[in-house]
Amino acid sequence: MRTFRIEILTGEQAGTVVELDSDRVRIGSARSADVALAAPLVSEHHALLVVGGEGATLHDTASAHGTAIVRDGATLAVDPTREGGVPLLAGDEIVLAGGPPSGARLRVQVAPIEDRTAVLGFTPLGELTAAPRGSDRAGELLRVIGSVQRDIALAEGLDGVVAAVASAALELVPRATHATVVLRAEPSDGGGPGDWVPVVTRVRSADGRAHPPDAAVRLTRSVVRRVVRERGAVLAADAAGEGLETESLLGASIRSTIGVPLWRGEDILGVLQVDNRDAPAMFGDVEVEVLGVLAAHASLAVANARLIQGLQAAELRLERENAFLKQRERARTGGAEIVGTSAAMRALLSQIDRVVDTRVTVLVEGETGTGKELVASAIHHRSRRRGKLFVAQNCAALPDNLLESELFGHRRGAFTGATEDKKGLFEVADGGTLFLDEVTEMPLALQAKLLRVLQEGEIRPLGATAARTVDVRIVAACNRELEGEVRAGRFREDLFYRLRVFPLRVPPLRERTEDVPLLAAHFLARYSREFGKGVGGFAQQTLELLRAYEWPGNVRELENEIQRLLLQAEPGALLTPELLSAGIRRVEGVVGAAGVTKGTLREMVEQVERHLVAESLREHGGNKTSAARALGITREGLHKKLRQLGMS
């Protein structure tokens, strides 16, 4: 083991010295960091110092503005993707986020820890027996052990098991005041090799029973290290009088302590530490043997609870991933293809091809029903991310509190009803694409969290104490004018600029009427297969009416109309005009009023359009703005239509 002495060289904290007795030191701006820095560009979890072998290494934990080492006047950048980190040498200085004024500069010294713990008793792992020996209380102890063993067996989940073990330790050792269970951190918990994390502490209250502590209880890490390193139970007593002078013991005012390993086979799972913080020389060999018996029973319960917890988490992850994979497969086989040969659609597809293999955030704009999710899916499936998940979430479909949990996940107990850990969609889509539809409906507080994901690539589930890094491509969509939402104060301006890096506009169906026959044929083939019903196709007049209609609901309305036509038609029959919805058939009256003469489909549609445009201009006294509004198009769209029809 080694100790880190870290001196902050710059900023308002210059001159501050932090000494830490740990295998891993987290550096960042988060309050939970071991070395918390007040510098604007330092990320919450910016860098990590790790003891390994004969020295220490520095790791960049996916910071936004980089980490470097200054050595002999030269600056060495720390690559966040480099395994094993960069070794630290004597005289090195660490530079975070480019150094001052917005970053920070540190000096680190690493030295071995002199372990001066006075160990008064040590029992190897192999000698921890299944029953206490040489005690007048053996019968009573066996009865108590049987009782606490039942309590441990009835406990639910890992948290319940370790809490029962800590409470049992206080019941078996009446003179103990504190009991703590320390477990080895797993990678899934955000831990790394050598991390030993206090999971639960119980203290003896005035009524003699075990209760959770009112405040944080300091852990005796020197005893934990000794138990893990030497693989046995450690007894240390008379801390003040027997030379037990390690900082962790004296700082915690511990007079007597016992550390017992929890094990499975050759693996040390954790440590059960029992303290007396009131009087010296209170523990002896009998207490060590009793706790050894408890540890022998509790180790299996802890191992099983952790295994079950891992299996449950894996099962939940597989269920969610399987559901999204099925959703993606349905999208692929159910019409995820973009249909259209119009100039507007060719331009859109060209824009999609330019952005698919970049990390740029895409904002898809367009009216309701134009196919914005289809465009987002095309961006994903044409990119190198297509092997991962494409996940879609409509931000208007959930209340604010549920939307935050759905996107970022939560930990058990984060709020009422949170009975288990839940992965958010950002974690589910890690490595893939997350499509946020109706992003303008996201509340301002949640917009701030989304901005952090875009800036730092980090998420923090509800109730979690540490952030996690994710690699997710964000594609957002809206059917409102986003600039107007910003001006109205309903959307963050900084988020607007982060989302609108590469905007894509999906044209409404009325601006690409030449695609209507293609889309109609596509939907007819799709739903004929799905319904198991074949028809003779479209009558010519039916196609003419479909193309002449304005389609305020865009492609979605056309899709619904084709389904309705297919359901009404007789098997093998043509889809004739009388089967169309009343709103679409009204176009027939317009065709008659326009005096359309027989010709090609394009020629007849142009005659109808010319009639409608002329009538609208006449009704509004030649005012193009009013006429365009009545026709449901923009003034620019009307000018374009007049040029197409030769009326300008």
Side-chain angles (χ1 to χ4, degrees):
M1 290 296 298
R2 297 175 180 268
T3 183
F4 288 100
R5 184 180 186 277
I6 301 171
E7 180 182 0
I8 303 173
L9 302 176
T10 59
E12 59 187 45
Q13 296 168 278
T16 302
V17 176
V18 180
E19 293 190 358
L20 294 163
D21 169 8
S22 177
D23 291 321
R24 298 162 66 86
V25 174
R26 296 171 175 84
I27 303 173
S29 60
R31 276 192 271 179
S32 59
D34 300 309
V35 180
L37 299 170
L41 293 186
V42 172
S43 301
E44 286 192 353
H45 302 279
H46 196 110
L48 178 69
L49 291 169
V50 179
V51 168
E54 296 302 318
T57 54
L58 175 65
H59 304 251
D60 184 299
T61 51
S63 67
H65 300 286
T67 304
I69 292 175
V70 175
R71 179 178 298 163
D72 298 328
T75 301
L76 308 174
V78 178
D79 184 353
T81 64
R82 174 173 172 174
E83 293 187 7
V86 177
L88 281 174
L89 304 180
D92 284 353
E93 292 185 0
I94 298 174
V95 177
L96 307 180
S102 299
R105 195 174 179 119
L106 312 171
R107 181 183 294 119
V108 179
Q109 295 177 340
V110 184
I113 294 175
E114 181 184 354
D115 191 351
R116 294 177 291 171
T117 302
V119 176
L120 305 183
F122 178 79
T123 305
L125 191 62
E127 296 181 15
L128 291 175
T129 59
R133 299 169 297 180
S135 170
D136 296 337
R137 297 178 58 228
E140 178 189 351
L141 288 172
L142 286 174
R143 181 188 60 78
V144 176
I145 287 172
S147 174
V148 299
Q149 176 63 17
R150 285 192 296 272
D151 293 340
I152 295 171
L154 292 173
E156 294 185 2
L158 181 62
D159 291 345
V161 168
V162 293
V165 171
S167 298
L170 292 181
E171 186 172 353
L172 286 168
V173 184
R175 291 177 291 189
T177 60
H178 295 69
T180 300
V181 177
V182 180
L183 296 181
R184 184 181 60 207
E186 299 291 340
S188 58
D189 302 326
D195 274 357
W196 295 89
V197 181
V199 176
V200 69
T201 296
R202 290 292 181 264
V203 299
R204 191 181 303 282
S205 59
D207 61 5
R209 297 183 179 182
H211 290 279
D214 295 329
V217 175
R218 193 169 179 178
L219 177 68
T220 319
R221 294 188 180 274
S222 59
V223 172
V224 173
R225 288 196 300 270
R226 193 76 174 256
V227 170
V228 174
R229 183 175 65 249
E230 300 187 13
R231 302 175 59 78
V234 172
L235 166 63
D238 278 335
E242 296 290 343
L244 198 60
E245 297 171 355
T246 63
E247 179 185 355
S248 56
L249 283 170
L250 295 179
S253 300
I254 295 174
R255 309 302 300 276
S256 308
T257 186
I258 299 173
V260 180
L262 303 173
W263 74 96
R264 184 180 183 185
E266 295 299 315
D267 293 333
I268 302 295
L269 306 176
V271 176
L272 169 61
Q273 183 175 315
V274 176
D275 306 326
N276 185 295
R277 306 195 181 199
D278 292 339
M282 297 298 293
F283 296 150
D285 292 339
V286 172
E287 283 84 0
V288 175
E289 289 188 359
V290 169
L291 291 176
V293 174
L294 173 63
H297 291 285
S299 295
L300 181 60
V302 170
N304 288 343
R306 176 157 257 178
L307 178 61
I308 292 171
Q309 183 183 62
L311 290 173
Q312 289 174 337
E315 183 181 14
L316 178 62
R317 181 176 66 254
L318 289 173
E319 285 179 359
R320 294 179 68 88
E321 290 179 354
N322 188 42
F324 281 110
L325 284 170
K326 288 181 178 178
Q327 177 187 354
R328 184 180 72 177
E329 191 60 28
R330 283 197 299 270
R332 282 178 171 175
T333 58
E337 175 190 1
I338 294 180
V339 177
T341 59
S342 62
M345 291 307 293
R346 290 198 303 272
L348 176 62
L349 291 171
S350 175
Q351 291 291 90
I352 289 174
D353 289 337
R354 293 174 188 271
V355 77
V356 288
D357 280 326
T358 69
R359 292 179 58 86
V360 170
T361 303
V362 177
L363 179 66
V364 184
E365 300 170 303
E367 298 176 4
T368 299
T370 52
K372 296 186 290 296
E373 183 171 347
L374 189 64
V375 170
S377 179
I379 292 171
H380 173 78
H381 291 300
R382 294 182 183 211
S383 74
R384 288 190 290 266
R385 294 176 178 263
R386 56 184 170 270
K388 298 294 184 178
L389 291 177
F390 172 79
V391 181
Q393 175 61 48
N394 188 322
C395 298
L398 294 174
D400 297 352
N401 57 334
L402 293 183
L403 179 60
E404 183 174 2
S405 172
E406 188 70 11
L407 292 177
F408 294 91
H410 64 250
R411 295 290 174 262
R412 187 176 67 175
F415 51 85
T416 303
T419 58
E420 58 186 17
D421 288 357
K422 175 186 174 182
K423 264 192 174 185
L425 296 185
F426 278 103
E427 286 190 74
V428 173
D430 194 12
T433 303
L434 177 59
F435 173 60
L436 299 176
D437 199 8
E438 304 289 359
V439 71
T440 52
E441 300 298 321
M442 186 178 288
L444 288 170
L446 203 50
Q447 290 176 28
K449 293 194 72 171
L450 175 59
L451 181 64
R452 174 155 189 82
V453 178
L454 292 171
Q455 290 176 334
E456 303 284 352
E458 292 181 344
I459 61 166
R460 188 190 297 273
L462 292 173
T465 57
R468 293 195 176 193
T469 301
V470 293
D471 175 23
V472 179
R473 171 76 173 279
I474 302 294
V475 180
C478 63
N479 55 20
R480 297 184 188 177
E481 183 192 12
L482 207 52
E483 287 116 325
E485 295 297 300
V486 172
R487 289 192 297 271
R490 292 188 292 268
F491 201 84
R492 292 177 62 105
E493 186 175 10
D494 48 1
L495 179 58
F496 166 76
Y497 289 116
R498 290 305 297 253
L499 289 178
R500 208 173 188 269
V501 177
F502 194 92
L504 291 175
R505 178 180 178 271
V506 185
L509 191 52
R510 62 180 175 274
E511 292 183 13
R512 55 183 187 111
T513 54
E514 58 266 52
D515 289 335
V516 170
L518 289 173
L519 287 164
H522 170 77
F523 290 132
L524 181 61
R526 173 182 172 181
Y527 290 109
S528 292
R529 290 193 303 269
E530 184 174 325
F531 298 165
K533 183 178 183 179
V535 294
F538 295 96
Q540 181 178 351
Q541 191 178 1
T542 304
L543 282 177
E544 293 172 1
L545 291 172
L546 290 174
R547 183 166 178 182
Y549 183 60
E550 286 292 322
W551 298 109
N554 292 295
V555 178
R556 186 180 297 133
E557 184 182 6
L558 174 60
E559 181 180 5
N560 293 338
E561 182 66 19
I562 300 305
Q563 291 185 66
R564 209 181 65 80
L565 277 174
L566 187 59
L567 290 171
Q568 292 187 97
E570 293 295 330
L574 285 173
L575 301 177
T576 52
E578 61 270 16
L579 299 176
L580 292 168
S581 300
I584 299 175
R585 288 203 310 272
R586 276 199 290 269
V587 177
E588 288 182 287
V590 176
V591 171
V596 175
T597 58
K598 289 292 184 179
T600 65
L601 179 62
R602 179 182 292 275
E603 290 170 346
M604 291 188 291
V605 169
E606 285 182 353
Q607 292 178 58
V608 173
E609 289 182 336
R610 190 176 289 108
H611 170 76
L612 291 172
V613 170
E615 281 295 304
S616 184
L617 287 169
R618 182 185 60 78
E619 290 175 3
H620 295 89
N623 186 313
K624 292 180 180 178
T625 301
S626 299
R629 188 180 300 114
L631 291 168
I633 59 178
T634 64
R635 181 182 173 88
E636 291 75 14
L638 178 58
H639 279 292
K640 180 180 177 182
K641 183 63 68 177
L642 289 171
R643 288 194 298 272
Q644 290 175 346
L645 299 173
M647 298 173 64
S648 58

